[in-house]
Amino acid sequence: MNLNPFWSMSANTSRTQRTDGGEDQSGHGEPRASPARLPFGKKQLPPIPKNATPVTKPASTGAPAPSANGTHASYGPFYLEYSLLAEFTLVIRQKLPGIYVQPSYKSALMWFGVIFIRHGLYQDGVFKFTVYIPDNYPDGECPKLVFDVPVFHPLVDPVSGELDVRRAFTKWRRNHNHIWQVLMYARTVFYKINTTEPLNPEAAVLYEKDVQLFKSKVVDSVTLCNSHLFDQPKMEDPYAISFSPWNPAVHDEAKERMFTCKRRPDDHHKGSQVSGLSWVKPGSTQPFSKEDGPPPS
Amino acid sequence: MSWLSRLNPRGPGSRPGRSAAPSGPCTADPETCLMVFENHWRQLSWVLEQQEPSSSSDDLAAVRNHTDQMLCLLAEERPAESAEGGPAAGAPMGPILELVVTENILERLVQWHLRRGLDPDSQGALLKLFEMLIGQSQQPLLQHTAVLHPLLRLLGACADPDLGCPLALENSLVLLLNQICVSMARQPVVLEMLFRAAPAQQGSTNLLIFSLLVPFIHRDGAIGQQARDALLLVMATSASNEAVARYIAENSYFCPVLATGLSALYSSLPRKIEVRGDDWHALRREDWMSVSSLVLFMNSLEFCNAVVQVAHPLVRSQLLDYLHNGFLVPVMGPALHKSSVDEMIASTAYLDLFLRSVSETSLLKTFLRFILLHRHDNDTILDTLLTRISSNSRLCMVSLSLFRTLLSLNCEDVMLQLVLRYLLPCTHVMLSQRRAIRETDLYGKSADKFLSLIPECCRLNAASSAERDEDGAFWAKAASGPGVESPAPPRPSTPSRLAFFIRQQSGGGGPGGGAPSTPAGSEPPQSGASHPPCPDSPMHQQPANADGLDWDSGYLDYLKDSRRGIEVCSWACRDWSAPYDGENPSPSAAAPPPPASNPASNPASNPAMAMFPEHFSLQQGGGGTPPPGQRMAAVVAAARSEWSGSERDSGEWDVTIGKNNSISLTPRSKKRSLQREEVPRLVPSSSSSTSSSSSSSSSSSSATHSSSSHAASSPAPHDPASVGYQATCNGTAAQEDGCSDSRDRGLEVKKVKRDLGERRYPDENANRNGSLATCSSHGRAAPPPSVFHDGGMSDAESPRPNGIPCRGAVGAPASDGDASKPRRASSDPPEADRAPQSVESLIRELLEQAPGEPPLPGDAGGGGGGQGISIEAFTQELRELEERARERGRAAGRQEESAGDDLSSERRPPPQEEEQQPPSEPKPPPTGDPKADGPALGLGSPARPLNKPYTGPFMVVLFAKLENMLQNSLYVNILLTGIVAQLACYPQPLLRSFLLNTNMVFQPSVKSLIQVLGSVKNRIEAFAASHDDFPAMLKKAQQYLVARGKVDWADSPGAVPTLRRSDSLVKSRKPSLGELILRHTNSPTRARHAAQLALAHVRDGGQSLHSALFKGAGGASFIEKQAEALRVKNAVYCAVVFCEFLKELASLAQEHAVTLPFPHGHEAEE
């Protein structure tokens, strides 16, 4: 289920209310906004940033049946955004080795990623990919993961580059399945080759019958992928991941910052003058059980 | 730290003006200078040589003249060029200095003066000379014993008990000492020399400078400041000098004087904070800057803070000990337990102020340990403060404010005691749910649940605004402005969502915490020309909206605020000892939370408990553990004499006497020594001056009221003979007190009633159930007498035949409610009889009362006389009126509470609770101490089974208060919801899940936040259903709040931005809400101004609700209407706040899901 009905409904109700009310100055805004929206149907998030083609569609989260006048359901978009944000937060927390993702600028439902394979058959492979999250997330299918360059792999479609994710997530269950698991899975397939029901039968057969040839094809594929590393991103998006040769002028400083900069609350400096107060001895649940030195202030 | 910055400029380059301007003839030619100097010296020495000290003034004049010249020359002299050329420390002396040293000129000079007997004139002259010398000298002088010793000799004379230092010379003396300390700070070696310099010469104390300065620590004005600066320099210089530190700690009075001085200063603080602003709840700088006694105290506290910051650990720990045992425990503790509501309000506000002012961690720790662990009459201070939240008056607001301060510290110990230890065992959740504790609201379920609680009736409004931005989401809503009349501006292309991601990423480890709205360097490809520079903060583009209806915009703003709040909080908590996630600390390891009503059950578990004596008075002699007893006594005596001159009123120390039973009386009497001086001052305030010194303390609280005719007649509280009597009267005292606060403090009243019933006045029993209302009407009669006076008073008194004598015996602390009677009887009869008039006339009357005048008694909120004009005051008055109205009916029919039941149950759920509970409750032995009356909350009754899950008194009282939102005043609700929101910012899964996880299943006995909110929602909806004009009123309330928020916003631009919220309604949630209606009211102009403002509010229709009702009606119907208007007003405001609160909670739930934890501090610190 998704909220599309709701969105149209909400628009409708507001429209009716408007005609009822007679006075509608805000009507001025509406025609302007509507044309912009209409081409994409009722499926988009209300705020369309930058006239970009939205991939985003309305949330189908929390709000079950939208309430009568649907006010709180209008927070729906926040739920989708925040669900995805939360997923992204989980990804960060997982600290998946060799995997980096970044949501698209245009849509929270599209994430760019890159995966570094550090050993095994695909060693040195750097594979860029894109994750497409269904717009009825988290109640829909599992996300799709498509490699920019189709990697030679039994589970990767040689034409579209799509990884067969569904076999691992036959049914996407909210609360149980998370996007980081998809990413984790994408990493695993390169270390532990599975050839059953392949998307790329050639690769599967080769792996079974002629590992040497398979290996050399993999090496070719890795080389091919890496040769496209510095290509422009497939998707025109400011947040698309793009590689460029090392440029000390640009990268040294960025690297330095990555290593030194510690995260702080935005306006930490003017925050509370004391923080991190604790005199509780670890393991104790008594206040002031830690009697030695003062805590860091 | 202001102290150090203030000091620093004076350090190295002190007095550039004087020292940098070499003047006079000597600059030209050192040779000449030396010759001139020698010449002077020759003549001077001739005078000095004369054996018999002549008393001739000629001699003296000559000596002075020469000395002046010589010392000027000495001061101007530059050090001789050393071989190396640098004016290093080892630079050779200039010739004049050399002469001074070799001839020991200064020593001879001082000796001569001393021999001939130092008259104040010469003493002053010498002090000034030395000050000039040390302050201006171009070369280090103090390193030379030839300078140092005569200086010490002179100072010794100043310290001489016989000679002493005349008052007029104090300034010079302190200035000189300050100079010495400044040069000492520059040349730490001087400290060592001072310290070593022959104790023989200095008499008993090694560090003469130090002991001379100490008495000035708490002095007012510049002289005190100089002394404190100087002492601080000594502290800083000695921070690394173990010997000096040990001397200061062991041989000087420094720490005790500092601490007991605070006590003395505290006792001079106003006993009652008079504010007229209905929203006042905390002392801010503007408030206390105008109160000299408070300024004095704050200076000293700030000084303590600075000393703790810079001093040697030895000194620091001693000072902290003294502060705990010499100030907090003996003074703050009793002050917080005063029986009068006004005093409770004052002391709570003070404590809050102190906590906010202290910046040094270890000093803060001392305060917190006091609050969390110290037991005053078996209850921790924390417990006491907790119970105050349930009051309905300003006491509640002040207490909430204090708790907000406590929460803002993000201190693990505080949170542990307040909440976490009750949640630790995880008994509040179903067993199967425990693993869910760590879950976050991944899909917005909880947020949705919170938002779904926005009452239908309040959605109309939101819906209509949603209609304006018909896409419903609030993304761009604020940007387009909700104003109906303004055509929506072109929607900014707002990548707000993207901004979130950007932030998220940068949060995730990337640099740059800011949220760039457009990705750096790369323009979005398809972007048109028009995207505003700051798209992710739509509220910045809010068009000024005359309609003021922008209140409901900006869920996005709530999200941002929540994010910020959570980040700041989790950053601050990163060094906590455990994550509190339901596993660590392990639920089984956690000690079972003590039963709420019996906090004493856990005393042994707190080691500190044993360390700190309960009653300082018992050990005042040796109260501070380290110092020997007599010394402490001496110190106290010194402090006493030090303060005896200043004007203050007394009684701080004896607070508990009036309130408690006799047990605590005797030991405490010792402390009164500090107060004795006050007695004469107090006596006149009592009508009959039979008061002994001991009664002064009890009457003192009424001194401010100046109307207590009973005070003086009270027997000495610690007179053994009167103890029994007193004990009985204590009950009455408390009752009066409770009365004064009406049912806010009903808990006290109740208990007291019990006491009464069981003791002396059986006839009180008859009135037991009804007496609450009786009391309150009684106690509250006064504030706006002109309007509200009716027959209620005499009725109120009638059922309590013994009340008056008893009260008289008890004395002043009880007289809050009482005071109205003498007042009515004697002082202000005309006012009392005046008929109700219009609001204007009421205000006029109030204005005519100068603020300095005795504040109107019986004011529950502690707001004093001015309250009558404010909303909050109206609230209280109206409640009181209701009660009186009811009670009248009761008095007529001699019926019990049931008579007014429908009225009361409808209007005043809290009193209803209170009224109904007492009989059914197991009654704890009457302690006479009203504070511990947890049962009044309806929860945590003593009978509570130990194993029943219990989320702690804090949660219970907050939830109870929250559930009652509809009846709370706007300001209480704002504070209350702010505190809950603040709690909800904490990232600890235990707390977070308890508050924000709406899917969690709790044990049946545990009330969840969502349940509480649900019941509020129902009440609001029921209310709205019964009022046709609810939508209109809601709108008005919103307009008012927005307008007020704006004024407020503009009012104090310099305030802390963290307290600001973008959303104007939220903005009005900030603590200083509505400061425009004044704060402190020592100044009549301010009061007048405030009253006018209030009047304006009434006139402009913002308050038309009651202004309409105020006019015209009179008598009983008038009162009823008043009450109804108030009820409506509170409910409508509540609806507004409630909706915003739900949005806030929803946003918090959402943000928790996307917040990353911070690494431990030691990893993250730079």
Side-chain angles (χ1 to χ4, degrees):
Chain A
M1 75 136 232
N2 64 37
L3 272 193
N4 295 348
F6 160 63
W7 284 111
S8 54
M9 191 206 76
S10 137
N12 286 338
T13 48
S14 53
R15 221 163 268 133
T16 30
Q17 278 169 4
R18 186 169 300 116
T19 41
D20 289 348
E23 45 84 36
D24 61 330
Q25 282 84 344
S26 57
H28 295 294
E30 206 245 338
R32 205 169 311 162
S34 298
R37 269 215 334 262
L38 283 175
F40 318 120
K42 51 200 176 179
K43 283 178 139 194
Q44 68 174 93
L45 269 178
I48 315 144
K50 314 290 181 202
N51 304 323
T53 314
V55 188
T56 326
K57 301 181 185 178
S60 69
T61 48
S67 65
N69 62 27
T71 321
H72 79 268
S74 64
Y75 296 93
F78 286 102
Y79 301 153
L80 176 60
E81 299 287 343
Y82 268 78
S83 298
L84 293 168
L85 256 176
E87 286 286 357
F88 186 66
T89 309
L90 287 179
V91 171
I92 294 173
R93 287 191 184 213
Q94 292 304 319
K95 299 193 170 75
L96 301 172
I99 300 181
Y100 300 88
V101 284
Q102 162 127 309
S104 145
Y105 179 82
K106 296 170 199 160
S107 165
L109 293 168
M110 183 166 68
W111 293 10
F112 305 114
V114 62
I115 181 166
F116 294 84
I117 305 298
R118 285 159 183 168
H119 48 85
L121 292 173
Y122 291 84
Q123 184 168 355
D124 297 331
V126 180
F127 307 125
K128 290 202 270 184
F129 62 86
T130 308
V131 178
Y132 296 95
I133 299 153
D135 55 17
N136 55 352
Y137 170 87
D139 296 320
E141 307 264 286
C142 72
K144 288 201 296 181
L145 191 150
V146 181
F147 289 102
D148 285 13
V149 178
V151 191
F152 184 74
H153 188 284
L155 301 187
V156 176
D157 188 312
V159 179
S160 67
E162 178 171 356
L163 173 71
D164 186 0
V165 178
R166 206 162 303 175
R167 69 169 60 212
F169 304 92
T170 43
K171 187 174 186 316
W172 187 263
R173 294 183 302 158
R174 59 190 293 169
N175 282 316
H176 289 274
N177 293 133
H178 296 294
I179 293 174
W180 68 265
Q181 293 163 336
V182 174
L183 301 175
M184 194 65 180
Y185 171 72
R187 181 177 177 275
T188 317
V189 298
F190 291 107
Y191 292 105
K192 207 176 152 190
I193 313 273
N194 183 351
T195 56
T196 53
E197 297 178 44
L199 288 185
N200 184 344
E202 186 204 350
V205 170
L206 271 188
Y207 184 73
E208 299 289 343
K209 309 281 182 193
D210 186 352
V211 178
Q212 286 312 314
L213 185 55
F214 177 82
K215 280 184 180 169
S216 74
K217 286 243 180 193
V218 164
V219 170
D220 290 349
S221 177
V222 166
T223 316
L224 180 72
C225 285
N226 291 359
S227 72
H228 287 289
L229 204 56
F230 296 138
D231 288 1
Q232 281 304 303
K234 267 170 73 178
M235 213 77 61
E236 229 181 326
D237 188 290
Y239 288 176
I241 294 177
S242 72
F243 283 76
S244 65
W246 185 265
N247 176 0
V250 177
H251 296 115
D252 275 347
E253 188 203 335
K255 184 181 167 192
E256 171 74 13
R257 257 188 301 163
M258 285 173 81
F259 279 102
T260 55
C261 211
K262 301 293 186 216
R263 189 167 74 102
R264 294 228 155 156
D266 283 351
D267 48 357
H268 149 73
H269 53 283
K270 51 189 154 184
S272 48
Q273 83 279 31
V274 277
S275 66
L277 294 180
S278 169
W279 295 278
V280 180
K281 194 168 77 187
S284 160
T285 56
Q286 288 303 321
F288 304 107
S289 44
K290 185 166 71 183
E291 275 301 335
D292 32 320
S297 55
Chain B
M1 176 89 263
S2 59
W3 277 89
L4 291 182
S5 59
R6 215 188 291 141
L7 290 176
N8 278 335
R10 271 198 228 172
S14 90
R15 309 206 179 183
R18 272 158 118 202
S19 56
S23 56
C26 49
T27 40
D29 181 9
E31 295 283 320
T32 323
C33 289
L34 181 60
M35 276 166 56
V36 175
F37 186 87
E38 281 170 336
N39 194 27
H40 280 301
W41 171 235
R42 224 172 291 122
Q43 302 178 45
L44 176 60
S45 60
W46 185 80
V47 182
L48 298 185
E49 300 291 294
Q50 294 186 337
Q51 278 313 313
E52 85 288 3
S54 75
S55 56
S56 117
S57 58
D58 285 351
D59 278 354
L60 187 58
V63 167
R64 277 214 200 149
N65 185 24
H66 291 302
T67 317
D68 281 355
Q69 301 292 330
M70 288 165 62
L71 294 193
C72 271
L73 288 165
L74 175 57
E76 303 287 355
E77 187 187 50
R78 299 180 172 280
E81 292 293 314
S82 70
E84 296 80 36
M93 300 177 270
I96 296 179
L97 178 57
E98 202 157 356
L99 186 64
V100 168
V101 169
T102 49
E103 297 273 325
N104 217 358
I105 292 174
L106 291 173
E107 180 72 30
R108 288 160 74 182
L109 181 68
V110 172
Q111 291 283 16
W112 180 81
H113 275 289
L114 290 178
R115 262 205 318 274
R116 79 186 283 280
L118 200 57
D119 61 305
D121 213 26
S122 339
Q123 192 181 3
L126 279 175
L127 287 172
K128 283 203 175 103
L129 271 177
F130 269 104
E131 188 264 313
M132 181 275 295
L133 198 56
I134 293 161
Q136 299 182 33
S137 167
Q138 313 273 330
Q139 38 193 348
L141 293 180
L142 290 174
Q143 300 172 2
H144 305 284
T145 43
V147 179
L148 193 63
H149 283 187
L151 175 63
L152 289 175
R153 201 175 298 283
L154 174 66
L155 291 176
C158 294
D160 186 343
D162 300 331
L163 212 54
C165 181
L167 224 59
L169 295 185
E170 281 180 344
N171 278 322
S172 310
L173 175 63
V174 171
L175 196 56
L176 170 60
L177 292 168
N178 187 299
Q179 282 303 325
I180 296 171
C181 291
V182 168
S183 33
M184 183 180 70
R186 273 185 269 176
Q187 312 150 38
V189 64
V190 173
L191 175 69
E192 191 70 18
M193 292 180 64
L194 280 170
F195 190 58
R196 301 268 166 248
Q201 281 187 30
Q202 298 187 35
S204 56
T205 56
N206 264 10
L207 211 44
L208 184 57
I209 298 190
F210 201 73
S211 35
L212 278 172
L213 278 169
V214 165
F216 295 93
I217 288 183
H218 301 290
R219 201 60 80 81
D220 202 358
I223 183 170
Q225 199 56 50
Q226 281 166 353
R228 289 189 290 265
D229 286 355
L231 281 168
L232 208 53
L233 285 170
V234 179
M235 288 298 149
T237 317
S238 67
S240 51
N241 188 329
E242 172 93 21
V244 177
R246 191 168 296 282
Y247 168 81
I248 292 173
E250 289 171 4
N251 301 95
S252 89
Y253 294 151
F254 178 70
C255 295
V257 164
L258 203 45
T260 53
L262 276 188
S263 296
L265 289 175
Y266 185 90
S267 74
S268 70
L269 296 183
R271 207 57 51 77
K272 171 173 175 166
I273 298 177
E274 287 166 40
V275 270
R276 289 158 196 254
D278 47 358
D279 57 345
W280 180 88
H281 59 272
L283 284 165
R284 295 161 318 131
R285 195 171 181 84
E286 306 90 287
D287 293 335
W288 59 263
M289 284 310 278
S290 56
V291 184
S292 58
S293 58
L294 202 43
V295 170
L296 210 52
F297 184 93
M298 291 306 286
N299 282 341
S300 289
L301 183 64
E302 199 188 1
F303 178 62
C304 287
N305 192 59
V307 170
V308 168
Q309 189 182 20
V310 301
H312 189 274
L314 222 84
V315 178
R316 177 174 51 200
S317 71
Q318 196 199 26
L319 177 61
L320 293 176
D321 264 1
Y322 269 104
L323 283 176
H324 187 273
N325 295 323
F327 167 59
L328 292 175
V329 170
V331 175
M332 224 37 229
L336 287 167
H337 288 81
K338 288 270 194 173
S339 56
S340 115
V341 179
D342 280 338
E343 289 173 84
M344 288 186 217
I345 289 169
S347 55
T348 310
Y350 292 145
L351 183 59
D352 180 31
L353 173 65
F354 303 159
L355 280 173
R356 280 183 283 122
S357 310
V358 164
S359 69
E360 268 308 292
T361 311
S362 48
L363 184 53
L364 202 56
K365 180 186 178 186
T366 305
F367 270 88
L368 292 178
R369 198 174 50 182
F370 164 72
I371 293 172
L372 298 186
L373 297 184
H374 172 68
R375 281 172 194 276
H376 185 90
D377 298 336
N378 278 333
D379 285 335
T380 59
I381 302 287
L382 190 69
D383 290 332
T384 305
L385 295 171
L386 278 173
T387 61
R388 307 256 170 91
I389 295 179
S390 60
S391 73
N392 245 351
S393 67
R394 196 188 296 278
L395 180 60
C396 164
M397 290 168 67
V398 171
S399 302
L400 285 174
S401 172
L402 176 67
F403 278 100
R404 191 187 53 206
T405 302
L406 284 174
L407 292 186
S408 71
L409 297 174
N410 299 310
C411 171
E412 181 175 6
D413 307 62
V414 171
M415 291 304 291
L416 190 61
Q417 290 296 87
L418 271 182
V419 193
L420 290 173
R421 65 176 171 151
Y422 301 99
L423 301 180
L424 268 179
C426 292
T427 49
H428 62 290
V429 284
M430 293 293 194
L431 205 59
S432 59
Q433 293 277 312
R434 289 202 183 170
R435 56 173 182 80
I437 285 176
R438 305 168 78 163
E439 283 172 9
T440 53
D441 184 21
L442 213 51
Y443 305 114
K445 279 281 189 201
S446 294
D448 188 57
K449 180 74 179 152
F450 281 122
L451 293 172
S452 74
L453 287 181
I454 293 181
E456 221 44 58
C457 48
C458 305
R459 277 190 201 150
L460 291 173
N461 221 302
S464 70
S465 60
E467 161 202 331
R468 281 179 243 121
D469 305 296
E470 78 307 336
D471 53 23
F474 285 60
W475 290 118
K477 183 159 189 281
S480 68
V484 189
E485 58 284 306
S486 65
R491 194 177 308 287
S493 37
T494 305
S496 29
R497 168 189 67 230
L498 303 164
F500 275 123
F501 278 114
I502 299 173
R503 260 190 250 163
Q504 187 62 39
Q505 284 160 353
S506 66
S517 49
T518 49
S522 60
E523 280 298 298
Q526 297 102 324
S527 72
S530 67
H531 47 95
C534 189
D536 72 315
S537 51
M539 83 271 189
H540 292 317
Q541 301 157 20
Q542 274 183 9
N545 196 327
D547 204 19
L549 272 183
D550 48 358
W551 71 277
D552 63 352
S553 65
Y555 185 65
L556 191 56
D557 293 335
Y558 276 111
L559 286 168
K560 287 165 75 179
D561 281 342
S562 297
R563 161 165 309 213
R564 201 201 134 273
I566 292 170
E567 282 207 335
V568 167
C569 185
S570 47
W571 190 81
C573 297
R574 70 198 184 286
D575 284 332
W576 282 23
S577 73
Y580 296 94
D581 56 1
E583 291 173 17
N584 178 18
S586 127
S588 51
S597 56
N598 185 13
S601 69
N602 205 11
S605 60
N606 294 326
M609 225 73 255
M611 284 161 45
F612 297 106
E614 280 274 297
H615 297 296
F616 183 68
S617 59
L618 282 174
Q619 359 226 321
Q620 193 158 27
T625 11
Q630 324 105 299
R631 196 149 65 70
M632 188 68 181
V635 164
V636 172
R640 191 196 317 154
S641 66
E642 178 66 20
W643 308 121
S644 59
S646 64
E647 171 195 306
R648 73 192 71 92
D649 38 22
S650 68
E652 267 324 292
W653 315 75
D654 291 329
V655 206
T656 49
I657 291 179
K659 182 165 53 89
N660 292 324
N661 289 327
S662 49
I663 309 130
S664 62
L665 295 182
T666 334
R668 269 171 206 284
S669 58
K670 232 191 251 175
K671 276 183 308 214
R672 238 163 272 127
S673 56
L674 281 184
Q675 249 73 42
R676 291 260 162 79
E677 303 88 12
E678 325 281 348
V679 173
R681 222 188 123 247
L682 290 165
V683 170
S685 76
S686 322
S687 55
S688 64
S689 50
T690 61
S691 66
S692 67
S693 69
S694 53
S695 74
S696 71
S697 56
S698 55
S699 65
S700 64
S701 70
S702 72
T704 47
H705 301 197
S706 84
S707 58
S708 114
S709 55
H710 308 300
S713 60
S714 70
H718 49 248
D719 175 357
S722 70
V723 161
Y725 187 37
Q726 167 98 24
T728 320
C729 295
N730 279 339
T732 322
Q735 179 174 25
E736 287 303 326
D737 193 46
C739 292
S740 72
D741 196 15
S742 175
R743 66 218 126 55
D744 311 342
R745 310 243 335 125
L747 37 127
E748 292 178 23
V749 176
K750 187 192 346 150
K751 188 175 259 176
V752 160
K753 264 181 283 163
R754 261 179 255 133
D755 291 358
L756 284 175
E758 285 148 20
R759 293 181 193 193
R760 205 167 258 203
Y761 309 108
D763 45 339
E764 282 280 336
N765 270 334
N767 196 29
R768 203 144 146 190
N769 289 328
S771 63
L772 178 62
T774 309
C775 289
S776 39
S777 68
H778 196 58
R780 286 175 173 244
S786 57
V787 178
F788 298 118
H789 249 280
D790 56 19
M793 216 151 203
S794 48
D795 289 337
E797 283 174 32
S798 58
R800 318 165 70 216
N802 287 326
I804 292 176
C806 177
R807 256 176 269 126
V810 170
S815 66
D816 259 13
D818 245 4
S820 61
K821 271 164 295 169
R823 178 188 177 79
R824 194 174 58 137
S826 58
S827 54
D828 272 336
E831 212 176 84
D833 294 333
R834 227 170 280 160
Q837 307 267 316
S838 65
V839 184
E840 278 88 346
S841 71
L842 164 63
I843 290 171
R844 227 175 295 123
E845 281 167 21
L846 285 164
L847 284 175
E848 279 157 20
Q849 269 195 325
E853 248 176 74
L856 292 164
D859 178 289
Q867 280 241 330
I869 53 171
S870 67
I871 296 171
E872 180 80 7
F874 280 136
T875 311
Q876 292 168 352
E877 287 142 21
L878 289 174
R879 278 192 208 118
E880 164 194 325
L881 287 167
E882 281 181 85
E883 280 162 339
R884 207 177 312 150
R886 261 188 306 147
E887 184 222 327
R888 232 184 328 192
R890 217 181 304 126
R894 230 44 232 132
Q895 285 165 341
E896 287 225 341
E897 194 64 17
S898 59
D901 252 356
D902 50 350
L903 196 60
S904 69
S905 64
E906 163 86 3
R907 295 186 186 172
R908 315 184 300 112
Q912 183 194 10
E913 268 172 39
E914 286 157 11
E915 284 150 10
Q916 288 171 354
Q917 276 174 12
S920 65
E921 257 172 19
K923 290 170 184 167
T927 60
D929 187 349
K931 71 192 153 42
D933 212 337
L937 313 177
L939 296 142
S941 88
R944 190 176 67 81
L946 262 178
N947 289 331
K948 207 170 162 193
Y950 179 56
T951 52
F954 188 48
M955 281 305 171
V956 166
V957 73
L958 283 185
F959 281 7
K961 201 83 187 161
L962 209 52
E963 192 148 29
N964 201 31
M965 265 184 95
L966 209 60
Q967 281 79 30
N968 291 343
S969 79
L970 168 66
Y971 306 109
V972 167
N973 280 336
I974 285 175
L975 278 168
L976 187 66
T977 53
I979 282 191
V980 176
Q982 202 174 352
L983 279 170
C985 283
Y986 278 87
Q988 285 71 27
L990 272 178
L991 185 51
R992 188 188 63 206
S993 64
F994 176 63
L995 290 175
L996 293 178
N997 189 340
T998 54
N999 298 322
M1000 217 76 139
V1001 185
F1002 296 131
Q1003 297 287 353
S1005 64
V1006 173
K1007 207 172 236 180
S1008 70
L1009 179 59
I1010 203 80
Q1011 282 174 318
V1012 171
L1013 296 174
S1015 101
V1016 176
K1017 169 190 191 255
N1018 291 337
R1019 291 188 198 183
I1020 291 178
E1021 285 178 342
F1023 175 87
S1026 64
H1027 288 77
D1028 292 341
D1029 51 347
F1030 181 80
M1033 292 192 293
L1034 191 68
K1035 199 166 172 178
K1036 263 189 187 163
Q1038 287 162 357
Q1039 283 170 332
Y1040 171 70
L1041 287 177
V1042 168
R1044 188 158 191 175
K1046 276 177 180 158
V1047 178
D1048 200 16
W1049 186 239
D1051 188 32
S1052 47
V1056 198
T1058 55
L1059 299 175
R1060 305 288 181 181
R1061 308 235 180 149
S1062 41
D1063 182 67
S1064 52
L1065 220 211
V1066 189
K1067 194 161 52 191
S1068 57
R1069 284 261 304 267
K1070 75 192 180 47
S1072 49
L1073 171 128
E1075 317 168 312
L1076 75 161
I1077 309 210
L1078 71 66
R1079 338 68 226 224
H1080 235 295
T1081 41
N1082 284 353
S1083 117
T1085 51
R1086 264 204 203 170
R1088 185 170 301 273
H1089 180 60
Q1092 279 157 354
L1093 267 176
L1095 185 56
H1097 273 294
V1098 173
R1099 280 190 176 128
D1100 70 10
Q1103 300 295 316
S1104 56
L1105 271 180
H1106 44 244
S1107 68
L1109 286 157
F1110 259 67
K1111 294 175 189 172
S1117 72
F1118 168 74
I1119 290 169
E1120 306 259 319
K1121 281 193 177 178
Q1122 287 278 299
E1124 174 65 11
L1126 179 69
R1127 195 169 66 88
V1128 167
K1129 184 170 62 68
N1130 278 348
V1132 171
Y1133 279 130
C1134 163
V1136 178
V1137 173
F1138 182 66
C1139 298
E1140 299 301 310
F1141 182 44
L1142 289 171
K1143 289 188 212 167
E1144 188 168 27
L1145 289 173
S1147 68
L1148 282 165
Q1150 289 199 286
E1151 285 293 346
H1152 270 299
V1154 300
T1155 308
L1156 282 169
F1158 287 91
H1160 256 260
H1162 44 87
E1163 298 162 36
E1165 290 295 339
E1166 60 278 79

